Amino acid sequence: MAQTLLCHPGIGPDVEGIALVASDDFSARYDLDRIKGVFSRPAHKLFGEDYRERVLVLNNVKGGVASAWMLNEMASRDVKPAAFVFNRVNPILAQGAALAGLPLVDRFADGDVTTLICNGERIRVRPSEGQVILLDRP
């Protein structure tokens, strides 16, 4: 049976994918190897994980304009996540996700999204509806 989490309406198209979850914050500039498609900062909990076409579920964003530009560069080379799900996001990264055509949502009614979604869980992100649907819940 599916479970639906409600959040602030986001941006981008609906997407379905496998969640890659950590309670860490996120910087596209400092946490990712944008050529290989893996988390590259050794101190990050997702170090070494392949992020391509996964739904990244993380705490908050770090960084500014450079991180936003990098999302567009990643999308242009098709080395990108399927979507972003955050507890909180800043306007700069939201603009970068919009420019790159990447779905993004944040601010969940039920609390910390990094504890509500399990790593490896199949989820559907519906930004315009402000929903994340957990598809494999018993």
Side-chain angles (χ1 to χ4, degrees):
M1 173 180 255
Q3 178 183 351
T4 300
L5 303 176
L6 300 178
C7 59
H8 187 269
I11 57 174
D14 292 1
V15 67
E16 189 173 310
I18 303 299
L20 189 58
V21 181
S23 59
D24 291 29
D25 293 341
F26 172 76
S27 167
R29 182 174 184 183
Y30 296 112
D31 292 338
L32 304 180
D33 181 320
R34 296 174 308 278
I35 304 300
K36 296 178 181 174
V38 296
F39 277 81
S40 59
R41 187 169 56 89
H44 200 284
K45 290 177 183 159
L46 297 176
F47 176 70
E49 292 281 344
D50 189 332
Y51 64 80
R52 291 173 289 183
E53 299 308 320
R54 304 282 297 272
V55 178
L56 301 185
V57 181
L58 298 158
N59 189 34
N60 294 314
V61 298
K62 301 181 292 185
V65 174
S67 281
W69 293 342
M70 288 176 190
L71 299 182
N72 189 50
E73 192 266 336
M74 292 162 54
S76 73
R77 289 185 297 100
D78 205 27
V79 180
K80 59 178 179 37
F84 292 107
V85 175
F86 290 109
N87 280 318
R88 286 295 227 181
V89 69
N90 65 31
I92 294 172
L93 199 76
Q95 291 172 353
L99 177 64
L102 296 172
L104 179 147
V105 294
D106 75 338
R107 290 177 273 167
F108 284 79
D110 292 324
D112 183 351
V113 73
T114 67
T115 63
L116 297 170
I117 300 173
C118 298
N119 196 37
E121 189 167 24
R122 192 166 56 93
I123 64 175
R124 182 178 300 134
V125 180
R126 301 181 68 202
S128 64
E129 301 299 322
Q131 297 178 342
V132 172
I133 302 168
L134 314 176
L135 298 170
D136 297 331
R137 287 288 158 108

